[in-house]
Amino acid sequence: MVFPAVFTVSLTSLCYEVLLTRFFSYSQWNHLSFMVISIVMFGFAASGSVLSLVERRSPGWSARTLDSPRFTLLLLFCSLAIGGSFLSVKNIPLDYFRMPLEWLQGAYLALTFILLLVPFFCSGAVVSLTFAGMPGQTGWIYFANMLGSAVGALLPASLLPRLGEGRIVLCCALLLLAVPLLRSLLARSWPVFLPAAALFLITGALLLYGGGKHLEIHPSPYKLLPQVLQFPETSVESRSNTIRGRLDRVSSPYIRFAPGLSLKYTGDLPPADFLVQDGDALFVLYDPGDDRAAQFSRYLHSYAGYSLRPLPGGNGKGGNGRGGRVLILQQGGGLSLPCAVSAGAREITLLVEHPEAAAAYRERSSSWEKRSQAKISVASGNLRRHLARDRSLYDRIQVEAWGPSVPGMASLDQQHLLTVEALASCLRRLNPQGVLILSRRLLLPPSDSLKVFAAAFSALDSLGVRSPGTHLILIRGWDSYTLLASPTPFDASDLEDLRDFCLSRNFDPVSYTGIGGQEVNRFNSFAEPFHYREIQRLQAALQENRGEEYFRSYYLDISPARDDRPFHSRFTRWSKLGALFRSTGSRFYTLLLSGETVVLVVLGIAAVLGLVLLLLPRLIPPRTAAAPEPGPGSGGRAAAVLYFLAAGAGFMLVEMAFLQGYTFVFGNPVIAFTVVLAELLVMSGIGGAVSARWSRRALPPVLIVLILCQAALCPLFGAALRLLLAAGAAAQLLGSFILLAPLAFLMGVPFPVALRLLVPTPRFRAFGWAANGVASVVASILAVPLAMSWGISRLLLPAAACYALMLAVLPAFQRLNRRIRNSHLSSPTENQGT
């Protein structure tokens, strides 16, 4: 029952891994969600390191364990660790915002890391044992491991809406318990069977009759949902949970949402329904037919996009009815629809990423249409995909992407709606007199507004506009800003209307053609006109083709985002850290709000622990004096270590490149995570199974083809992703498989073939598993800042370099293998393990 055990362990561990990404996305932010991959690989690496140490002290232990009750007990511990770690971690009062002030929070983070490490250590031990104890079956073991992992990656998508994260975790524990239960029953090992049966019954009873409170996940107290639930008469009416995220319908008479509302507005806000995604992203469903919605929307600075150039036939100059087409791209918020209806739009298309949020809008659209006399169409899905496939022209395109409630918490998110290519797509979908309206939160020091302005300027430049600055307007209130862009320049009449609009509502213009210093920083004043000053410097640099020089000199990263290097809401430049520290009032604590800081801390921890895991088997001497076994650091042993380190790093870099690339294609990181894992693990598993009968002479050609494929794909990766983005749903899935499958198949060959043919002892097979895991951990963490700095497609270049390193050290690895085999021919104990 070894192969079913490997399959089941792999299934449950990958299912648990996907669920942990959802757990951290809801309970915290993505700062901890990205650590899941590193925790998983650390568990696998630690199991290989420990097993290598055990084999060093007791040669042949792996093969003996596979046929003993110890293996059954290990499976039992895997199940117990999955359920126990989840129930424990969800109750740890982790608050990493307070970590610089309370050492206890550091202990909580370490405890979280260790508790989540345990189930993956046990799972890795099962797989590592089978690799070490069954060297002739490494190809099929690899196949069972990858196939189970692929199935486990797909399960949460279908089970989350029905069961939720906590119940699925218990189902995983229950499924895994069935293996030791059946194994001990067939072997009549009653000392193992009885506790396994008792644990099975307890878990089943907890799943069926335990209720939901002990399994419920609670969001961080800094998120929006727990804060608004403190209001009186506020409650969650309903909740839906899918792989795209959790959506709570909140009822409250006290929630207010109107960023960009003029302080001169003295009326009431209209009643609204509220949706909260993953505890923080707020969707506000105002009734656009309500008279109060029309009144307050005209006092938003985003309404300037309708005021300057009224919609054809709309409620403006020369019009008293309804006319014009409006496209709304909404990633939270809810101000765009009242603005469009108030301006007299005849046809409105509202796009929302989350299907449940779109369904909520769709439920109300018929009654809204009757009251507002506008045709409202609602759709869900990837917003960039709609732009790529839609060929319609609009009079207005309004983008709402406000970001998280706490600044800096989206610094690791991929935002593809604010890239140069995305804004160019919006501008291409506009009529000549159309206007793109984009509203965001205002940050100090100036950063977000500069980055978006630079992207819009570059988008216009890419469309052949000679003077992009004449096509752009930026105004602000006290907490947010609106950027206006048009395919045609804003003329004198438009600018006069803009001045009147700002003056009547106390908004401050920041940038337009001919703006004067006396017009800025009047109503919502800062100590200095920071935003106006920097926007003017940026615009001058861009017009004089000195943009790159300005971006290098500014102390924040404000270079325009591209699809290959998307908008991350991160602005830290480590080379300018001193200037940033001084600009924030010398507050060290503010620097910790960047997700990159967490990445660097985790990377440091990973490097130290990885080094310990690799050196541990050499630090503890064997129990008995045996034939000398040169260690990994002596002679040709370095070639073996480098081979497995490069195998793990190369595999993970390719996985991270496709994970981030497919986030652009599918519009959701968890869906991309599921698709990439399923395709990658299935095809690499098939590669491992097919290579089970190959000789070592097949390795060099496979590595050469793999290197060439990765190097060739790097410059073509972006174009391939754009083709997938514009494809239909079926073609998108098929195309994503075709793009990844050849690489995945080839990447599934080098590791199992090396374990089977080049590593003659169980101890070194376990060490190879550990080295592979350690490198995967470091690569998974390092890939995040590399992609943010270099670009997603360029991750394929260091991956190709890793496989080139494997090819370079392969001859030394083969010579090493021959020496080890010769040195152990006279050792019956060691040969017993092989």
Side-chain angles (χ1 to χ4, degrees):
M1 290 190 64
V2 171
F3 290 112
V6 171
F7 175 85
T8 307
V9 165
S10 303
L11 184 154
T12 53
S13 61
L14 256 292
C15 184
Y16 189 36
E17 179 180 354
V18 175
L19 292 173
L20 284 178
T21 63
R22 287 293 316 128
F23 167 74
F24 281 124
S25 294
Y26 184 73
S27 64
Q28 300 285 338
W29 274 278
N30 57 3
H31 294 71
L32 299 183
S33 180
F34 88 95
M35 287 199 312
V36 172
I37 294 178
S38 63
I39 291 173
V40 172
M41 299 311 300
F42 249 129
F44 292 166
S47 66
S49 183
V50 171
L51 183 58
S52 177
L53 176 63
V54 173
E55 282 287 343
R56 178 176 172 83
R57 296 178 62 82
S58 179
W61 185 85
S62 300
R64 296 192 300 270
T65 297
L66 289 176
D67 297 323
S68 72
R70 289 195 298 265
F71 189 69
T72 308
L73 283 173
L74 180 59
L75 295 171
L76 186 64
F77 289 146
C78 284
S79 173
L80 187 62
I82 287 178
S85 64
F86 177 79
L87 294 175
S88 301
V89 166
K90 67 178 291 294
N91 292 308
I92 293 178
L94 176 63
D95 182 355
Y96 66 88
F97 282 104
R98 291 155 58 189
M99 200 173 299
L101 307 176
E102 298 180 10
W103 67 267
L104 189 58
Q105 294 300 324
Y108 285 149
L109 181 61
L111 181 60
T112 300
F113 194 94
I114 293 171
L115 286 174
L116 292 179
L117 198 69
V118 173
F120 297 106
F121 174 87
C122 295
S123 301
V126 171
V127 180
S128 182
L129 270 173
T130 55
F131 273 130
M134 301 172 63
Q137 301 292 328
T138 53
W140 291 108
I141 295 170
Y142 193 75
F143 174 72
N145 174 224
M146 294 301 175
L147 182 62
S149 299
V151 175
L154 293 172
L155 276 181
S158 58
L159 296 180
L160 269 173
R162 299 174 178 84
L163 300 178
E165 293 89 352
R167 293 184 185 276
I168 299 177
V169 170
L170 289 187
C171 286
C172 289
L174 207 60
L175 177 63
L176 193 51
L177 269 174
V179 179
L181 196 64
L182 183 59
R183 182 182 171 97
S184 59
L185 180 62
L186 294 176
R188 296 186 178 182
S189 178
W190 307 121
V192 178
F193 175 80
L194 292 177
L199 191 58
F200 188 90
L201 293 175
I202 293 172
T203 306
L206 189 65
L207 182 63
L208 294 175
Y209 306 109
K213 288 187 177 181
H214 62 286
L215 299 175
E216 183 62 35
I217 301 173
H218 301 288
S220 165
Y222 300 102
K223 283 193 168 184
L224 179 68
L225 182 60
Q227 293 181 28
V228 300
L229 288 179
Q230 298 181 45
F231 297 163
E233 303 176 43
T234 301
S235 62
V236 175
E237 291 185 339
S238 63
R239 175 173 293 160
S240 63
N241 197 4
T242 68
I243 198 70
R244 289 182 179 271
R246 183 178 298 203
L247 198 70
D248 295 280
R249 295 195 181 195
V250 179
S251 173
S252 174
Y254 300 106
I255 298 178
R256 300 289 185 268
F257 181 84
L261 182 63
S262 169
L263 296 178
K264 295 189 72 173
Y265 179 71
T266 58
D268 295 329
L269 292 180
D273 296 322
F274 305 97
L275 306 175
V276 183
Q277 181 179 346
D278 279 343
D280 198 60
L282 180 65
F283 291 87
V284 184
L285 283 68
Y286 288 116
D287 182 352
D290 192 299
D291 292 338
R292 287 169 292 182
Q295 294 169 7
F296 99 91
S297 62
R298 294 192 179 101
Y299 279 82
L300 299 167
H301 53 56
S302 54
Y303 192 79
Y306 298 94
S307 177
L308 304 190
R309 295 176 180 174
L311 295 172
N315 298 328
K317 299 175 184 177
N320 55 7
R322 295 212 161 267
R325 305 182 66 207
V326 176
L327 174 65
I328 297 173
L329 306 175
Q330 189 165 318
Q331 288 185 329
L335 306 180
S336 302
L337 190 58
C339 284
V341 172
S342 178
R346 181 189 74 255
E347 185 177 337
I348 302 171
T349 302
L350 174 62
L351 299 180
V352 184
E353 288 186 340
H354 199 290
E356 297 296 327
Y361 277 101
R362 202 175 291 116
E363 289 174 6
R364 296 159 173 78
S365 62
S366 58
S367 63
W368 288 350
E369 287 180 347
K370 293 177 181 178
R371 300 186 62 183
S372 65
Q373 299 179 352
K375 181 182 178 182
I376 302 174
S377 303
V378 183
S380 65
N382 185 355
L383 305 186
R384 283 296 305 276
R385 184 168 182 264
H386 181 90
L387 285 174
R389 293 172 60 83
D390 187 15
R391 292 296 178 263
S392 303
L393 293 179
Y394 298 92
D395 298 293
R396 296 293 183 275
I397 295 180
Q398 189 163 357
V399 178
E400 275 198 83
W402 298 103
S405 60
V406 179
M409 292 302 100
S411 54
L412 299 183
D413 284 344
Q414 290 180 230
Q415 173 59 269
H416 288 280
L417 201 57
L418 302 176
T419 64
V420 173
E421 294 85 350
L423 298 182
S425 296
C426 290
L427 290 167
R428 278 192 291 265
R429 300 275 76 80
L430 286 172
N431 287 316
Q433 292 295 313
V435 178
L436 169 64
I437 307 167
L438 196 159
S439 301
R440 299 274 293 170
R441 298 188 188 277
L442 195 67
L443 300 181
L444 271 177
S447 49
D448 188 286
S449 55
L450 296 178
K451 196 176 187 75
V452 172
F453 187 91
F457 193 101
S458 300
L460 288 164
D461 185 63
S462 69
L463 297 177
V465 175
R466 292 187 177 181
S467 300
T470 61
H471 297 245
L472 295 172
I473 290 175
L474 194 146
I475 64 175
R476 69 171 179 87
W478 64 274
D479 67 336
S480 54
Y481 70 90
T482 287
L483 174 73
L484 307 180
S486 176
T488 56
F490 293 104
D491 57 26
S493 176
D494 297 329
L495 299 181
E496 185 62 31
D497 290 339
L498 174 70
R499 295 187 189 96
D500 293 341
F501 179 86
C502 292
L503 187 61
S504 63
R505 292 162 175 80
N506 286 8
F507 292 131
D508 291 296
V510 179
S511 176
Y512 64 81
T513 303
I515 188 172
Q518 72 280 2
E519 301 179 58
V520 304
N521 206 36
R522 289 186 297 175
F523 304 112
N524 306 279
S525 60
F526 294 104
E528 296 181 36
F530 301 110
H531 298 89
Y532 163 75
R533 184 174 57 201
E534 290 304 332
I535 286 286
Q536 295 306 304
R537 291 175 180 173
L538 171 61
Q539 184 172 347
L542 292 173
Q543 288 174 341
E544 297 169 6
N545 294 321
R546 296 185 295 103
E548 292 301 322
E549 178 184 342
Y550 178 85
F551 297 143
R552 286 194 299 269
S553 64
Y554 197 62
Y555 55 87
L556 294 172
D557 181 5
I558 57 165
S559 56
R562 301 274 179 174
D563 283 345
D564 193 54
R565 188 174 173 263
F567 196 100
H568 285 281
S569 294
R570 51 81 73 178
F571 309 101
T572 304
R573 292 188 62 194
W574 297 103
S575 60
K576 303 281 188 178
L577 199 60
L580 176 61
F581 177 66
R582 290 188 295 272
S583 70
T584 57
S586 301
R587 297 180 180 92
F588 176 75
Y589 180 76
T590 59
L591 301 179
L592 300 177
L593 294 179
S594 170
E596 292 172 286
T597 306
V598 181
V599 171
L600 292 177
V601 171
V602 175
L603 180 62
I605 294 173
V608 173
L609 292 181
L611 187 63
V612 171
L613 289 177
L614 291 178
L615 295 179
L616 184 63
R618 301 301 305 162
L619 297 178
I620 301 179
R623 180 178 300 175
T624 58
E629 295 181 353
S634 61
R637 293 289 192 256
V641 175
L642 287 175
Y643 183 93
F644 287 113
L645 287 174
F651 192 99
M652 186 55 65
L653 286 170
V654 172
E655 179 180 332
M656 295 299 291
F658 275 87
L659 173 60
Q660 298 194 48
Y662 282 5
T663 298
F664 167 64
V665 172
F666 294 101
N668 184 277
V670 181
I671 293 177
F673 185 78
T674 303
V675 171
V676 169
L677 280 185
E679 295 177 356
L680 185 65
L681 297 178
V682 167
M683 290 308 300
S684 60
I686 293 175
V690 171
S691 66
R693 297 184 179 181
W694 292 2
S695 68
R696 70 187 66 182
R697 287 178 296 183
L699 272 181
V702 168
L703 290 172
I704 291 173
V705 173
L706 193 53
I707 295 166
L708 293 176
C709 287
Q710 291 172 347
L713 182 59
C714 178
L716 303 174
F717 195 50
L721 293 178
R722 286 190 291 273
L723 287 175
L724 290 178
L725 181 70
Q732 199 174 64
L733 284 173
L734 179 61
S736 68
F737 178 79
I738 293 174
L739 185 62
L740 179 56
L743 283 178
F745 178 86
L746 293 173
M747 290 191 302
V749 174
F751 180 73
V753 169
L755 283 184
R756 178 169 57 90
L757 299 177
L758 299 180
V759 185
T761 66
R763 173 198 161 202
F764 286 117
R765 281 191 288 274
F767 183 82
W769 173 261
N772 184 274
V774 168
S776 298
V777 172
V778 176
S780 68
I781 301 171
L782 195 59
V784 176
L786 287 180
M788 295 168 71
S789 301
W790 294 357
I792 296 170
S793 61
R794 293 188 181 181
L795 288 179
L796 295 173
L797 293 180
C802 289
Y803 285 101
L805 178 61
M806 294 171 66
L807 181 64
V809 302
L810 186 58
F813 193 4
Q814 292 173 329
R815 292 193 297 269
L816 167 70
N817 169 61
R818 289 192 292 269
R819 291 204 308 271
I820 294 179
R821 287 186 182 275
N822 293 335
S823 68
H824 287 89
L825 285 178
S826 59
S827 177
T829 304
E830 185 68 30
N831 289 333
Q832 179 184 358
T834 60

